[in-house]
Amino acid sequence: MKSGKTSSKLRYKGKKVLLLDGYGRQIPSLLHQLHELGCKVTTMCESRLDVGFTSRYPSRRIVVHGIREDVDIYRQAIEKELENGYDVLFPILEKSTDICTDGKISALYPELKIIAAPREAFLKAYDKQQTMTACMKNGIPCPITKMDDETMDDFLSRVSFPLAAKPRKGSGSAGFKKIHTREELDQYIADGDIVPEEYVIQEFIPQDKYMCNCYVMMDDQQNPMYSLALKTYRWYPVDGGPGCFARTVDQPEVTENAVKLFKALGWSGFGQVSFMMDSRDNTPKVTEINGRISAGIKIMEYAGCTPVLYMLERAYGRRMKPKKDGIRQGLGLRYFHTDILWLLKSPDRFHADPNWFDFRKNIDYIFSWSDPLPFFSYAIEHAATYRKDMAKRKH
């Protein structure tokens, strides 16, 4: 067994990898895994403070200003860099994945392996409205959602206020709005703050229990190779926002529904389904799919799932073996940069369960002793944008 695993790793020694989105929290873990496989990695960053630039693992780093905001600049930068000859292209976030899967890069570089889900499945997952539609068609619990062919009056006859509204496309809680009355909803629409065709409008689920993410690796026949559920105990802002502390848990209902949803979408590759536990009926309900490679990939590595190796095996058309044993449970994943803010702001700071001060069997999204600098560069880079980031998450 050990020799087989070793030979799989040796297959990728010396492979040239272009790793995009060098500013993402995912990058340090991905770089470490690629380094362990012996790959030669170039990171594409926008700033010298990006974690993909400050990490010790890349063989080469390039900085291209404007790639976060301008799709054309990003596409041109990717295509130009690929002229240097690469074996693997590794998009991380939605924007770069959209660029890399539209067929244009594959036409230019037919031998290039692109780490991404099938484009049709990715586009369905990126659109939260299509995700909700797939859930409802397949009996997967999700919030009551306004359908495209439904009038607002018909929808409101099926739900009670408050409502939740969020952009169809996007990540995190940016653009999220909690709506308390019909008058408030009508005002948002009249002011252009909510465009019904561009927003998912659904019942509001109180964030008073917990959230759960399920990470799944699907092969090209839509069979799950492994899965891991991660239960979120703390989030910031404290009244609702992205998680800042979570633990791996055994959650069969969540896992089964995540796999069911991915099969319904024709998904293959690595993906994440987010659930929120509805305290009103004690049912975990799907809130979105993260088609990007999420920052939670680090806990997959820590738990023993070797996700990057599986991604490469799939990209090269090699048969993957399901991993059912040896996945560690009870591991903590902390986003220290916001978890410290939770400690300062939450009235439950000294009564939290799990205890905030318990660091046993915990890892941080970004920090590692073998590669510590990205943790500090990330803090410096995001301190300057903190107010702007929080403004996006105001309800």
Side-chain angles (χ1 to χ4, degrees):
M1 181 73 179
K2 186 176 180 181
S3 61
K5 186 175 180 180
T6 302
S7 63
S8 294
K9 288 185 175 183
L10 290 174
R11 289 183 187 138
Y12 303 106
K13 187 174 183 179
K15 294 289 185 184
K16 289 187 66 178
V17 178
L18 178 56
L19 184 62
L20 306 179
D21 305 312
Y23 37 83
R25 286 185 292 155
Q26 305 88 330
I27 296 298
S29 176
L30 293 168
L31 279 170
H32 177 256
Q33 292 178 66
L34 289 165
H35 173 78
E36 291 292 296
L37 293 171
C39 298
K40 296 181 179 179
V41 183
T42 296
T43 52
M44 184 172 288
C45 309
E46 191 178 51
S47 163
R48 287 175 174 267
L49 286 173
D50 288 348
V51 292
F53 194 92
T54 58
S55 171
R56 74 180 184 88
Y57 291 123
S59 303
R60 182 166 167 265
R61 307 157 179 84
I62 56 175
V63 174
V64 182
H65 299 293
I67 58 175
R68 286 200 196 205
E69 303 298 333
D70 194 312
V71 174
D72 292 331
I73 291 176
Y74 210 169
R75 180 184 296 278
Q76 291 168 14
I78 294 169
E79 292 179 358
K80 181 179 179 181
E81 181 58 30
L82 287 173
E83 293 175 2
N84 292 317
Y86 285 89
D87 302 298
V88 179
L89 178 60
F90 220 125
I92 309 303
L93 304 179
E94 288 90 349
K95 184 182 295 182
S96 62
T97 302
D98 189 31
I99 293 170
C100 295
T101 59
D102 68 2
K104 296 178 183 178
I105 288 176
S106 295
L108 290 172
Y109 302 96
E111 300 301 316
L112 183 69
K113 306 301 182 186
I114 301 176
I115 307 294
R119 181 167 178 80
E120 184 178 353
F122 165 73
L123 291 176
K124 289 178 182 177
Y126 191 31
D127 185 334
K128 296 181 181 68
Q129 186 77 17
Q130 292 195 52
T131 298
M132 295 298 106
T133 300
C135 287
M136 286 181 276
K137 285 183 177 179
N138 291 276
I140 301 168
C142 67
I144 299 171
T145 304
K146 180 187 178 300
M147 294 291 94
D148 286 335
D149 59 356
E150 184 177 30
T151 67
M152 189 65 73
D153 287 336
D154 287 343
F155 166 66
L156 293 177
S157 70
R158 300 191 292 123
V159 296
S160 300
F161 285 93
L163 302 178
K166 50 193 174 184
R168 282 188 173 209
K169 299 177 181 180
S171 58
S173 59
F176 176 89
K177 292 176 174 59
K178 183 178 179 181
I179 305 166
H180 300 86
T181 66
R182 176 63 188 266
E183 292 73 24
E184 187 178 2
L185 173 61
D186 289 342
Q187 192 62 54
Y188 273 128
I189 294 174
D191 293 342
D193 294 324
I194 292 177
V195 179
E197 294 76 19
E198 298 175 4
Y199 266 70
V200 176
I201 302 174
Q202 56 192 188
E203 65 173 330
F204 177 81
I205 298 180
Q207 198 168 335
D208 56 4
K209 261 205 160 179
Y210 63 83
M211 298 179 290
C212 193
N213 292 322
C214 187
Y215 303 97
V216 184
M217 182 70 195
M218 306 285 284
D219 69 9
D220 285 336
Q221 288 71 48
Q222 282 82 58
N223 298 309
M225 295 293 98
Y226 60 72
S227 60
L228 183 68
L230 190 67
K231 182 177 177 180
T232 300
Y233 293 87
R234 298 193 291 270
W235 42 82
Y236 189 82
V238 295
D239 61 344
C244 52
F245 181 81
R247 273 188 180 161
T248 57
V249 292
D250 183 21
Q251 199 91 351
E253 183 179 5
V254 163
T255 300
E256 289 169 12
N257 281 324
V259 170
K260 188 176 180 181
L261 180 55
F262 278 137
K263 286 185 175 183
L265 295 176
W267 187 275
S268 58
F270 180 81
Q272 173 201 327
V273 182
S274 296
F275 295 79
M276 186 177 292
M277 175 60 77
D278 191 337
S279 59
R280 300 168 299 180
D281 57 9
N282 287 317
T283 301
K285 296 180 178 179
V286 172
T287 56
E288 66 177 353
I289 294 175
N290 280 332
R292 66 185 182 276
I293 298 174
S294 66
I297 196 168
K298 186 167 183 178
I299 199 70
M300 305 296 295
E301 178 189 8
Y302 188 34
C305 292
T306 60
V308 168
L309 176 59
Y310 271 81
M311 292 179 200
L312 289 169
E313 295 280 72
R314 173 182 165 266
Y316 276 87
R318 297 189 174 110
R319 187 171 174 228
M320 298 182 289
K321 294 181 180 180
K323 183 176 180 63
K324 297 181 179 179
D325 301 316
I327 298 177
R328 301 168 65 195
Q329 300 290 352
L331 307 177
L333 181 63
R334 187 187 298 259
Y335 183 22
F336 188 83
H337 295 90
T338 55
D339 205 27
I340 189 68
L341 297 174
W342 181 93
L343 179 68
L344 296 173
K345 296 284 188 178
S346 175
D348 299 323
R349 61 180 68 86
F350 299 118
H351 310 288
D353 183 20
N355 190 305
W356 193 95
F357 300 95
D358 184 359
F359 284 81
R360 293 171 296 177
K361 296 173 70 175
N362 291 349
I363 57 171
D364 185 75
Y365 275 106
I366 301 172
F367 182 80
S368 72
W369 290 108
S370 61
D371 190 24
L373 191 55
F375 178 86
F376 299 101
S377 68
Y378 185 91
I380 294 169
E381 188 171 37
H382 285 264
T385 62
Y386 170 77
R387 291 184 182 277
K388 182 180 178 181
D389 293 340
M390 289 300 103
K392 290 180 181 178
R393 291 175 168 81
K394 282 186 178 179
H395 297 175

